[in-house]
Amino acid sequence: MHAVIRTYSGNGAKELFDVLEKNKAEVEKLIRSVNGFVSYSLVRTAGGGFSVSVYQDKAGADESVRVARDWVGKNAGNIGAAAPNISEGTVILQLK
């Protein structure tokens, strides 16, 4: 499995998470539609937030980054939030 963490902070990050929260159903449908979906969490922090996406392989994780970027551009591009800091890697342990 492969995981991607997208961290949003700085100007516009809080507003971006307001938009994401208002569109939770659409975001869920989009993320679940990527091949190899395993799990997803969207977490609000004091300065913005982060998402954790887990997919069966790197290809799915990479696709999730692409679809997230496209969705944010179309639905929250006017907010002016900075691109996220992206961390990714192979999952060595996942607990449910």
Side-chain angles (χ1 to χ4, degrees):
M1 287 187 291
H2 203 81
V4 175
I5 301 170
R6 290 182 289 275
T7 304
Y8 298 85
S9 60
N11 291 337
K14 289 181 182 181
E15 294 81 2
L16 172 59
F17 272 72
D18 291 340
V19 172
L20 290 166
E21 186 171 12
K22 289 177 185 174
N23 293 280
K24 287 188 292 191
E26 184 179 345
V27 171
E28 178 181 353
K29 183 178 177 182
L30 179 71
I31 294 298
R32 284 185 182 276
S33 73
V34 175
N35 286 336
F37 172 81
V38 175
S39 66
Y40 179 78
S41 296
L42 186 61
V43 181
R44 185 186 292 272
T45 64
F50 63 92
S51 66
V52 181
S53 304
V54 179
Y55 287 85
Q56 288 294 330
D57 55 25
K58 183 170 176 10
D62 289 348
E63 178 66 3
S64 78
V65 170
R66 187 193 67 75
V67 299
R69 180 183 58 238
D70 291 351
W71 190 93
V72 169
K74 289 178 187 173
N75 296 280
N78 62 326
I79 291 173
N85 180 31
I86 298 175
S87 301
E88 66 174 294
T90 301
V91 176
I92 59 172
L93 176 64
Q94 183 182 38
L95 305 174
K96 293 184 181 183

